[in-house]
Amino acid sequence: MKRNVLLYKGIPEQALQKLQAHFNVTYFDGINDNNKSAFLSALAETEGLIGASVKMDAEILEHAPKLKAASTISVGTDQYNLPYLAQRNIPLMHTPNVLNETTADTLFTLIMCTARRAVEMANMVREGRWTSSISEAHFGTDIHGKTLGIIGMGRIGYAIAKRAHLGFDMKIQYSNRSRKEEAEKDFNASYMDMASLLKTSDFVCVMTPLTPQTERLIGKNEFAMMKKSAIFINGSRGKVIDESALIDALTQGTIKAAGLDVFEVEPLPADSPLCKLDNAVVFPHIGSATAETRFNMVMCAVDNLINALNGDISKNCANKDLLK
């Protein structure tokens, strides 16, 4: 007899067919005020959950007494309360690795766009303000040969370091909970404390997960440590930085510029000062947003749920260490 699974995000037909081959699938196209009541009712018989971009807190999951596994179509797990799931012995599966290279491409695009003022200069052309040869007032900053400091040398951090060192001859230094010998061997990366990294890096790229320990990790004091010529890149989670402190740093010239793919509130409000600053390049959280990678993420999440409900959480379980 097939188990009941609840899908709360639209997925490609191929992935849906694979889910339906293994489970009885109930589908919700996102959760909103109009369907939330029906969603909560459907949770009563649900043994598996799969989806993304919806907060699945304890208040919601209390309606799912039969839940055996959840699978998020993301590498980030902040939509779920991991200790709560562990208390109920429910594994949360996620999709690391499949998006590493694509997200690293996005973050390095931010580095390049910000350093060369690409968005600002493109807008100048579009708006008809390019009326003479480019002057010093419009010069950008070199990337090659500079120092890149990475806070959080995980899989994506490593992929960014690879592009920077091998492609742009950049010096790599990093701050992390533990040493990453592979990065040190492959890219001659230097391991150091965060304060030293902030003071000496030309580019600072934050790639840490959002945890109680990393929330507001970068604020007024940290921006003040950076070089005035430093460019700050955030591809982790918006709440890892103090956004108002960043706005102040950009406005006051504490740092040169910032490139951001994530924000405290998403979508970023149109009246945010970040939208008006020429020295801020803002992307709409497109880190993994290519057709190929998003498809691979969905298929990975489907396989994760199939494996978990069959008792195999050996691969891609985000809270494995917390389970009983």
Side-chain angles (χ1 to χ4, degrees):
M1 184 177 178
K2 290 184 179 180
R3 289 174 154 172
N4 295 318
V5 160
L6 199 158
L7 169 67
Y8 57 92
K9 181 180 177 67
I11 60 175
E13 184 65 25
Q14 181 179 342
L16 179 60
Q17 289 177 359
K18 189 168 187 177
L19 265 184
Q20 291 172 330
H22 289 83
F23 310 116
N24 294 317
V25 179
T26 300
Y27 170 55
F28 285 80
D29 186 11
I31 312 302
N32 53 56
D33 291 340
N34 295 325
N35 66 11
K36 187 172 182 179
S37 179
F39 176 77
L40 294 177
S41 296
L43 283 173
E45 298 299 321
T46 294
E47 293 183 72
L49 268 178
I50 181 169
S53 304
V54 176
K55 195 72 174 177
M56 290 292 167
D57 54 23
E59 184 179 352
I60 288 179
L61 295 183
E62 291 290 352
H63 292 267
K66 298 181 181 180
L67 188 64
K68 298 292 189 298
S71 181
T72 180
I73 308 171
S74 65
V75 64
T77 60
D78 44 299
Q79 298 290 359
Y80 282 85
N81 183 324
L82 297 187
Y84 170 78
L85 291 179
Q87 181 183 344
R88 290 184 53 183
N89 206 36
I90 298 170
L92 175 65
M93 314 303 288
H94 67 149
T95 63
N97 299 316
V98 295
L99 50 71
N100 295 347
E101 299 298 332
T102 298
T103 304
D105 285 349
T106 301
L107 271 294
F108 214 86
T109 301
L110 270 177
I111 290 172
M112 297 179 71
C113 284
T114 309
R116 296 307 303 269
R117 300 169 64 177
V119 176
E120 180 188 358
M121 295 298 100
N123 287 338
M124 186 174 72
V125 177
R126 289 174 180 272
E127 294 165 7
R129 293 185 287 110
W130 183 29
T131 57
S132 61
S133 297
I134 291 298
S135 67
E136 186 176 350
H138 300 110
F139 288 173
T141 299
D142 278 338
I143 302 167
H144 63 273
K146 296 291 183 67
T147 298
L148 172 62
I150 300 174
I151 301 174
M153 185 61 83
R155 292 176 295 267
I156 298 172
Y158 178 91
I160 295 169
K162 177 175 65 176
R163 286 156 175 75
H165 184 69
L166 300 181
F168 289 79
D169 197 27
M170 297 184 82
K171 175 184 177 183
I172 307 299
Q173 47 196 35
Y174 73 100
S175 175
N176 201 62
R177 285 180 300 177
S178 59
R179 298 185 75 123
K180 297 294 183 179
E181 293 182 0
E182 185 179 12
E184 295 179 19
K185 174 178 175 292
D186 294 346
F187 315 128
N188 198 28
S190 300
Y191 178 61
M192 60 182 60
D193 61 85
M194 190 172 76
S196 298
L197 180 147
L198 294 173
K199 293 174 183 177
T200 58
S201 296
D202 298 306
F203 295 83
V204 175
C205 183
V206 178
M207 291 308 303
T208 63
L210 177 62
T211 67
Q213 292 73 37
T214 62
E215 187 167 352
R216 300 294 181 97
L217 179 69
I218 307 294
K220 179 179 179 179
N221 293 337
E222 287 71 31
F223 289 121
M225 292 182 193
M226 297 182 197
K227 299 178 180 181
K228 283 187 174 294
S229 59
I231 290 176
F232 176 77
I233 306 293
N234 187 17
S236 54
R237 286 292 185 265
K239 291 183 179 179
V240 169
I241 69 171
D242 182 337
E243 201 165 280
S244 63
L246 172 61
I247 291 168
D248 288 342
L250 292 170
T251 304
Q252 297 166 12
T254 306
I255 62 173
K256 186 178 183 66
L260 310 166
D261 190 41
V262 290
F263 307 91
E264 286 186 0
V265 175
E266 295 185 3
L268 182 67
D271 61 356
S272 168
L274 290 170
C275 296
K276 300 174 177 63
L277 291 172
D278 283 337
N279 59 343
V281 175
V282 291
F283 287 176
H285 203 149
I286 60 169
S288 63
T290 67
E292 300 93 338
T293 293
R294 288 294 175 88
F295 177 79
N296 290 337
M297 288 171 66
V298 170
M299 295 305 292
C300 177
V302 168
D303 288 339
N304 286 342
L305 187 61
I306 293 170
N307 292 337
L309 288 176
N310 285 330
D312 180 7
I313 59 169
S314 60
K315 183 179 179 182
N316 298 338
C317 182
N319 62 339
K320 184 177 180 181
D321 293 342
L322 300 177
L323 299 176
K324 300 171 185 176

